[in-house]
Amino acid sequence: MVRLASDPPAARETRDIPDLDGGAPLLGHLLEFQRDPVAMLSRGWRELGDLYRFRLGPRRFVLFTGPDAHDAFFSAPEDQLNAKDVYQFTVPIFGRGVAYDVAPQVMDEQLGFLYPALREAAMQKFARIMFEETSLLADSLGDEGVFNLPAAMNELTVKIASRSLIGQEVRDQVDTGFADAYHDLQKGINTLGFFLPRLPTPAHRSRDRARVQVAELFSRIMTARRRAGANPDDFMQSLMDARYSDHRPLDDDEITGILLTVLFAGQHTSAVLATWTGLELLRASSYAERVRDETQVVYGENGSMDLEGLKRQITMEHAVRECERLHPPLIILIRKVLQPMRYGDHVVPAGSLAMVSPAVSHRLPHLFADPDRFDPDRFSPPAREDKQHPYTLIGFGGGKHRCMGKHFAEMQVKAIWTVLLDRFDFSLETEFPEPNYGSWVTGPETPCRLRYRRRTQGRVFR
């Protein structure tokens, strides 16, 4: 429960927030955090419970763990827990005047321009694009071979997201420069950049050059559309036609920034989630066979994927949700405490950084039976472990900042692995990989190669 500093005196009796031991002078827990942040944060929960404090260099953090703590975190108002002050490292990527560079109400208005483009008719189109792009990848692989799974999922989801969310013109540029520029932008999201986003490192210089390149590409496309009087049904056009509440149109740089915000939301986490989903399904071969059986039932008559079919794929959906639980792409979410915040009999002081960790909370043993085991059936009746509380699963955030691309991402991963498992048998060339905590979005350590062989029997999709 959240109580503000204006609560009556009796409600403000407090106990000190416990401190995690083991910190070093000046650095605090930074070295332990860099080695394995999830192990460190999990240790704190085991030793101290659902609220405790630690330090990374000069910054003081308070971790909120478990559904009730998540509720307090995600329900707090913007003037108490604020995301803008924390995510300034995204400003060089998304640009000035958008997302975390504007007031929360302006960011809400900007993202609100996109909701009409997520209507049911658009999702029908997206399902078709996901099927077509994954089929193109499958056709390109030949009958057998080896490929780098994270790289393949990143390239595929860039193609799907650019075609679905921005426009065909951008998809046509993926193989002629856009994918490389976008990859350089992705590299700008790193742990060092969180603390020092303007530090002129090689990755940050590449990020800044890529931002200029993408802005120029998008501006050329928008100029050509205006000259031709074109009006395609996509996010770019929605933003070109949009007006703020004061009737002002968006300029090209604002449109570019919002599109990049949406592209990162719809692609970066999807690529990582798709990678982990494939790895877990390969390790759980019997469950992968159940996915193939479901594919036969849903699509066997017409051999073509659509939105209604994807909605019926509950077996596949539970696998994706289980991978969101075991391998959340974002292992931490952070807000700055602008006003003192009460949780239980503790008060988190202003100036602290409040944190939740999906990677820690998704493996709490009192919420999830045998929490380290891949078990998609935990989401089926009668277990339904995700329904214990609205904030049991927070892989896509929560509250007003819940990721607007959640359903798009889940649908994309379902479509990708439905097609690939139908077309191929896979095996992992290496040991099951560990998470790569050096990246802000946590995929597996590389190289991570899969061997594949085309299936000749029992296929649904041709």
Side-chain angles (χ1 to χ4, degrees):
M1 179 178 179
V2 180
R3 294 191 180 94
L4 306 184
S6 58
D7 288 342
R12 294 203 297 269
E13 297 175 3
T14 63
R15 293 189 299 120
D16 289 340
I17 299 172
D19 289 296
L20 183 64
D21 66 9
L26 299 179
L27 294 178
H29 296 85
L30 184 60
L31 296 180
E32 184 182 1
F33 186 85
Q34 287 180 322
R35 284 194 301 270
D36 191 329
V38 177
M40 189 203 91
L41 297 174
S42 297
R43 174 174 76 84
W45 174 78
R46 289 192 303 271
E47 295 175 0
L48 301 171
D50 60 359
L51 193 78
Y52 67 88
R53 184 167 49 195
F54 62 96
R55 189 164 52 83
L56 302 178
R59 311 291 290 272
R60 294 191 177 276
F61 291 81
V62 177
L63 182 70
F64 290 69
T65 303
D68 291 337
H70 299 162
D71 196 347
F73 180 93
F74 289 116
S75 301
E78 288 280 354
D79 61 359
Q80 186 175 52
L81 290 190
N82 184 266
K84 177 185 173 183
D85 286 6
V86 174
Y87 292 101
Q88 288 300 296
F89 71 93
T90 66
V91 173
I93 298 169
F94 301 149
R96 294 289 185 184
V98 297
Y100 295 109
D101 193 52
V102 296
Q105 60 270 26
V106 178
M107 182 179 177
D108 290 344
E109 189 172 7
Q110 290 174 342
L111 295 179
F113 296 142
L114 301 175
Y115 282 112
L118 291 170
R119 62 192 183 278
E120 185 82 358
M123 298 301 280
Q124 292 277 5
K125 180 179 72 172
F126 297 160
R128 185 170 63 254
I129 289 171
M130 292 166 185
F131 175 69
E132 290 173 358
E133 292 289 350
T134 309
S135 296
L136 287 172
L137 169 63
D139 292 342
S140 73
L141 290 176
D143 288 338
E144 61 181 295
V146 177
F147 70 97
N148 181 350
L149 179 61
M153 291 300 99
N154 193 62
E155 180 179 346
L156 176 58
T157 53
V158 167
K159 291 176 177 178
I160 291 171
S162 61
R163 183 176 165 191
S164 299
L165 303 179
I166 302 181
Q168 184 64 46
E169 303 101 321
V170 178
R171 167 62 181 89
D172 292 341
Q173 297 284 333
V174 166
D175 296 322
T176 58
F178 176 74
D180 290 338
Y182 181 73
H183 183 60
D184 285 341
L185 284 173
Q186 285 180 318
K187 290 189 292 186
I189 296 184
N190 53 64
T191 304
L192 179 62
F194 172 76
F195 293 101
L196 298 167
R198 299 292 179 179
L199 191 69
T201 64
H204 290 171
R205 287 195 292 269
S206 296
R207 172 201 67 193
D208 295 342
R209 287 193 298 269
R211 179 61 172 74
V212 172
Q213 183 179 346
V214 170
E216 290 173 348
L217 169 63
F218 286 7
S219 185
R220 287 197 302 270
I221 292 171
M222 287 184 275
T223 298
R225 286 187 178 189
R226 293 181 183 114
R227 287 175 178 167
N231 190 33
D233 182 17
D234 56 39
F235 277 24
M236 179 179 282
Q237 194 62 43
S238 294
L239 294 172
M240 291 172 66
D241 296 339
R243 297 292 184 273
Y244 285 106
S245 55
D246 62 1
H247 307 296
R248 178 178 69 84
L250 287 71
D251 63 37
D252 283 4
D253 206 50
E254 287 175 308
I255 293 172
T256 295
I258 297 170
L259 288 174
L260 283 172
T261 303
V262 171
L263 187 58
F264 269 74
Q267 185 276 327
H268 204 180
T269 54
S270 296
V272 168
L273 185 58
T275 299
W276 285 118
T277 300
L279 290 169
E280 290 289 0
L281 285 171
L282 296 190
R283 190 157 63 168
S285 57
S286 61
Y287 198 88
E289 284 304 317
R290 287 172 57 187
V291 169
R292 286 176 171 144
D293 292 342
E294 180 181 66
T295 302
Q296 285 281 355
V297 171
V298 174
Y299 303 111
E301 289 188 7
N302 59 20
S304 179
M305 182 177 288
D306 55 27
L307 179 61
E308 290 308 311
L310 285 166
K311 289 179 179 179
R312 290 170 57 197
Q313 288 186 258
I314 302 302
T315 303
M316 184 74 237
E317 182 174 310
H318 288 171
V320 175
R321 197 172 300 169
E322 177 69 337
C323 288
E324 175 199 343
R325 185 187 72 83
L326 286 172
H327 307 286
L330 296 175
I331 61 170
I332 56 173
L333 304 169
I334 306 172
R335 305 283 186 266
K336 185 172 183 180
V337 184
L338 301 184
Q339 297 181 37
M341 174 184 176
R342 177 173 287 273
Y343 175 69
D345 53 3
H346 301 291
V347 171
V348 181
S352 304
L353 292 173
M355 176 190 291
V356 295
S357 174
V360 174
S361 295
H362 287 180
R363 299 198 187 208
L364 296 178
H366 62 283
L367 297 177
F368 299 103
D370 198 0
D372 295 332
R373 182 167 62 95
F374 176 74
D375 179 17
D377 289 330
R378 69 175 75 247
F379 299 108
S380 301
R384 304 195 64 167
E385 292 178 353
D386 58 324
K387 300 300 183 183
Q388 300 172 69
H389 190 286
Y391 291 107
T392 303
L393 278 183
I394 55 169
F396 287 92
K400 67 176 297 183
H401 288 293
R402 186 178 182 85
C403 178
M404 67 181 294
K406 176 181 185 295
H407 296 300
F408 179 90
E410 291 176 339
M411 184 170 78
Q412 182 174 201
V413 177
K414 288 169 68 174
I416 288 170
W417 282 105
T418 298
V419 172
L420 292 181
L421 286 173
D422 180 67
R423 295 284 190 94
F424 300 100
D425 290 316
F426 294 97
S427 60
L428 190 61
E429 280 276 287
T430 57
E431 296 294 322
F432 195 90
E434 296 294 324
N436 173 19
Y437 292 127
S439 172
W440 190 261
V441 181
T442 306
E445 292 279 5
T446 56
C448 179
R449 292 184 291 268
L450 295 190
R451 180 167 295 280
Y452 62 89
R453 182 185 295 273
R454 191 172 296 275
R455 300 175 70 226
T456 57
Q457 302 293 326
R459 284 174 43 182
V460 173
F461 305 120
R462 303 301 173 192

